[in-house]
Amino acid sequence: MTEHALTPAAAERRLIELEKQLELATEMLKIARDKEVEAKHGYEAARRNAGFNKECPRVERGGTTVAERTEWIEDKAADEQRKYDIATAARQAAYDHLQTTREQGMMCMALLRSANTAYAMTTGA
């Protein structure tokens, strides 16, 4: 026999399942934030290292402009910037997943309340 999704027992099981998913989503967000910070530090270090590189163009009147120097530095740090961008997107996705799981939990709690009320009315409890 298949249990209906709106029975109090089924709603409680779903709520417990969502609680576990919420804990996992929270942990995944923490990990994603750590990776994002690590990637940001890597990107910033790559930019600094490029700026101090002996091959880095020197800004001078009639020669290299500040914009050209900045572009050279950014080009040298492009791989690290890409890693940082990917880590930022992953952190945002983890945050979105956490929010979705929270919203599902709230809907499940509302359904549980409704199911409990409906079952109480039909059983006279």
Side-chain angles (χ1 to χ4, degrees):
M1 179 177 181
T2 310
E3 188 171 26
H4 191 276
L6 292 180
T7 64
E12 285 176 10
R13 276 195 300 283
R14 179 67 177 137
L15 195 56
I16 290 168
E17 181 183 314
L18 283 169
E19 181 182 23
K20 291 175 187 174
Q21 289 178 13
L22 188 59
E23 289 175 16
L24 179 61
T26 300
E27 186 60 31
M28 295 308 292
L29 179 58
K30 288 177 188 177
I31 292 168
R33 283 181 175 154
D34 290 345
K35 287 182 179 182
E36 180 184 22
V37 169
E38 186 178 319
K40 180 182 181 188
H41 290 174
Y43 170 54
E44 290 172 347
R47 290 184 75 232
R48 280 191 305 276
N49 290 338
F52 290 122
N53 188 314
K54 291 178 183 177
E55 295 176 14
C56 182
R58 302 254 179 236
V59 175
E60 55 190 15
R61 177 169 282 185
T64 304
T65 65
V66 172
E68 290 169 333
R69 180 180 187 271
T70 301
E71 186 177 317
W72 188 91
I73 290 170
E74 291 299 327
D75 183 56
K76 296 297 178 190
D79 288 342
E80 296 301 321
Q81 181 182 16
R82 198 170 298 107
K83 290 176 189 174
Y84 176 45
D85 292 344
I86 290 168
T88 299
R91 188 254 318 140
Q92 185 60 49
Y95 178 78
D96 292 346
H97 177 65
L98 176 65
Q99 289 301 105
T100 299
T101 304
R102 274 190 188 141
E103 290 170 9
Q104 288 174 344
M106 299 305 271
M107 286 189 299
C108 187
M109 287 190 324
L111 286 172
L112 177 58
R113 273 188 244 117
S114 294
N116 280 335
T117 301
Y119 273 77
M121 291 174 66
T122 60
T123 62

